[in-house]
Amino acid sequence: MDSPISEWVVAESSVWLSRVRSTAEPAISTVSDVLCTRLVHDETPQRELLKRSVLRKERSRLLPERDVRAPVPSRRGELFYRWQRRMNCMPRFDARIPEEPLSVLVFGAHFDDCEVRFGGTATKYRELGHEVTLVCMTNGEAGHYKQGGATLAQRRRAEADAAASHIGAEYVAFDNPEGELRPSIDNRNEIIELIREIEPDLVFTHRPNDYHPDHRYTSQLVQDAAYMVTVPNICPQTPHLDYNPVMCYLPDSFEKPYPLDPDVVIDIDGEMETKLDMLHEYTSQMYEWLPYNIGMLDEVPETETERREWLPKRYEPRNRGYADRFREELKDEYGEEHGSQVTYAEAFEHCEYGGDLTEENREILFPFF
Ligand SMILES: [Zn+2]
């Protein structure tokens, strides 16, 4: 209270309140009501200034939110607006200011999900020396047509380790039955404990609307863990985090209830071959189960070399499609010339339940632009 105006507010409002109390005027119920009522009839210059300020605040409080919102000219403006809106209505979700090396944690439902949706970006993080941990929420025991159970689960785990070794990432796998993942409290608590142990700056997972129940429940579980990692009495044996990690959704092509609306689009042209090398390790998926499941098993070549040459036919179109679909975002990020020449992209959308993605931490969390 060091400005003359604020001193005046305190002095005047207390005098006025005592008068109000003594007369018990029923129409006046708050300090601001008192000030508005009094100041409307007061014309000295200092009081005129304060009157305008109080009336402006009162008016903005009464307006519906959509009318208060200023025009949003850019994606960064949109990020700022979201942060501002959240500050008014939700617990404050402070993401810490990250320090290098970053810690990045990616939750996929199945053993190839992280690589398919995040492989190029994971490679970029590792090239810059950041830590990447890939998580598979299920054990891989079901997705096949002539194998299953522990044999298939062990095979999938070995494929995952081989894929992660291309970029030096860690792989964590939970022993939940594939195809039967449950959005249970036990599974949520396991995720909370893992996030607390890893202390990630960034968490990625599926969007909540997806064709596969394991994808949907992975998303549900990770979203449910987001805020809870900061609550000391939840999983009290694991020290809680004093920040809420920034969380983003992995890309997909589903359109209902709305298509992916990315906050970050990344050029992975230089990492596409490494991403394909990682996918190539998943023999049981890329060359057996997935071709069988979509009726093109007879197109899969026999030899390793032929298969690696064939693999882009299946997986390039996805990332080429993201680059075309999010061309304007790529131009915003990289400039007109670079952005218009990107062939392959990965795109990620901020999840509101994790920490805030701000202009300040975005530059540190996505150090690729
Ligand atoms: Zn999957």
Side-chain angles (χ1 to χ4, degrees), residues 109-110 112-113 215:
H110 307 120
D112 59 349
D113 285 328
H215 295 181

Side-chain angles (χ1 to χ4, degrees), residues 48-293:
E48 177 66 18
L49 279 176
L50 184 61
K51 179 175 74 181
R52 284 187 207 153
S53 160
V54 170
L55 290 176
R56 191 164 57 240
K57 283 181 188 167
E58 289 297 309
R59 271 193 222 110
S60 69
R61 185 171 63 83
L62 295 172
L63 288 171
E65 190 178 354
R66 63 180 178 278
D67 293 330
V68 175
R69 181 179 175 178
V72 177
S74 66
R75 178 153 294 281
R76 292 193 170 179
E78 176 69 18
L79 287 175
F80 177 73
Y81 167 68
R82 285 188 204 168
W83 170 81
Q84 204 177 30
R85 184 182 57 180
R86 179 177 299 161
M87 292 293 286
N88 291 334
C89 63
M90 293 177 71
R92 186 170 172 168
F93 283 178
D94 279 337
R96 66 180 174 185
I97 297 299
E99 294 178 7
E100 295 192 350
L102 299 172
S103 173
V104 179
L105 181 58
V106 191
F107 287 89
H110 307 120
F111 273 118
D112 59 349
D113 285 328
C114 293
E115 292 86 345
V116 167
R117 295 154 199 266
F118 192 76
T121 305
T123 305
K124 282 183 111 69
Y125 278 116
R126 291 297 299 137
E127 285 168 346
L128 294 173
H130 302 299
E131 296 165 1
V132 174
T133 305
L134 308 176
V135 181
C136 178
M137 286 302 301
T138 60
N139 60 14
E141 67 180 8
H144 209 277
Y145 59 101
K146 61 180 182 182
Q147 267 189 338
T151 306
L152 182 60
Q154 286 170 8
R155 189 178 175 208
R156 287 265 160 81
R157 175 66 215 225
E159 291 172 344
D161 287 339
S165 72
H166 281 271
I167 59 170
E170 295 291 320
Y171 225 116
V172 175
F174 288 100
D175 192 25
N176 297 303
E178 186 180 16
E180 298 180 7
L181 181 64
R182 293 165 191 255
S184 65
I185 301 299
D186 284 349
N187 285 338
R188 183 205 296 172
N189 288 347
E190 286 200 336
I191 290 176
I192 289 170
E193 290 180 345
L194 180 66
I195 292 174
R196 287 175 175 178
E197 285 165 14
I198 301 279
E199 295 187 32
D201 298 289
L202 259 174
V203 174
F204 292 83
T205 193
H206 301 276
R207 293 205 299 161
N209 293 285
D210 189 294
Y211 80 105
H212 201 297
D214 289 346
H215 295 181
R216 289 200 296 274
Y217 296 142
T218 296
S219 180
Q220 185 70 58
L221 287 162
V222 177
Q223 289 179 114
D224 288 354
Y227 167 69
M228 296 309 231
V229 297
T230 69
V231 180
N233 283 329
I234 301 294
C235 303
Q237 68 277 22
T238 313
H240 71 284
L241 300 185
D242 59 5
Y243 69 100
N244 198 15
V246 174
M247 184 179 291
C248 291
Y249 295 121
L250 298 166
D252 61 51
S253 301
F254 297 102
E255 300 199 344
K256 294 179 181 178
Y258 71 95
L260 183 77
D261 180 19
D263 294 287
V264 183
V265 184
I266 297 174
D267 167 7
I268 60 159
D269 284 2
E271 291 72 32
M272 193 65 199
E273 287 304 308
T274 304
K275 173 171 179 161
L276 290 166
D277 286 342
M278 294 167 79
L279 295 178
H280 178 67
E281 300 290 351
Y282 287 100
T283 300
S284 68
Q285 299 264 43
M286 301 298 141
Y287 307 118
E288 297 174 10
W289 167 240
L290 295 173
Y292 171 85
N293 194 230

